[in-house]
Amino acid sequence: MAAGGAVIFADVQDTNQAASAAFIQHIRQTLQRAQEITQSVSEAESIADEATKFCEAIKAQHNIHPKKLALTGSKPMAPVPPMAASLTREIQTSVVWTQTMLQMCTVADGSSELEKGSKLSFVKPAAPAS
């Protein structure tokens, strides 16, 4: 990472097409790594949920009543929302962005002229329901 938290990507290639391909490959590798991290987070969340259920079962079995504010000295913490689902949504958004970037690179590398002020649309229309 560069100073200030900016992320920089540089890959010198002979052609725009090769540079675009290298950029997209880097993005794909990053998304693959993000998916691996998300899988690990999901597994950790599942294990934590299972452990919590075991703790609750033990408390119920032994009729253990938690002492109010004994450990923290403050209000009980609210449950933490699952992180894996949020990461999955971010990855899905990044995949769409990557596809759009690839299409933009294709347009930029194309030989056809774009009319000044023309509207570019990179979103594919939804498939008709069958």
Side-chain angles (χ1 to χ4, degrees), residues 1 39 73 76 82:
M1 275 196 156
Q39 181 62 35

Side-chain angles (χ1 to χ4, degrees), residues 2 4-5 23 32 37-38 56 74 79-80 95 98 104:
F23 179 59
Q32 177 64 36
I37 291 168
T38 300
E56 294 300 322
S74 62
V80 178
V95 167
T98 301
M104 289 170 58

Side-chain angles (χ1 to χ4, degrees), residues 79-103:
V80 178
M83 189 187 292
S86 176
L87 291 173
T88 298
R89 282 190 299 277
E90 289 296 326
I91 291 170
Q92 290 168 343
T93 299
S94 297
V95 167
V96 171
W97 179 86
T98 301
Q99 291 169 340
T100 303
M101 284 297 297
L102 183 57
Q103 291 172 333

Side-chain angles (χ1 to χ4, degrees), residues 37-48:
I37 291 168
T38 300
Q39 181 62 35
S40 296
V41 168
S42 178
E43 290 171 9
E45 287 176 336
S46 294
I47 291 168

Side-chain angles (χ1 to χ4, degrees), residues 28-39 87 91:
R28 286 182 177 147
Q29 289 171 341
T30 301
L31 290 173
Q32 177 64 36
R33 182 70 181 126
Q35 288 174 329
E36 292 167 4
I37 291 168
T38 300
Q39 181 62 35
L87 291 173
I91 291 170

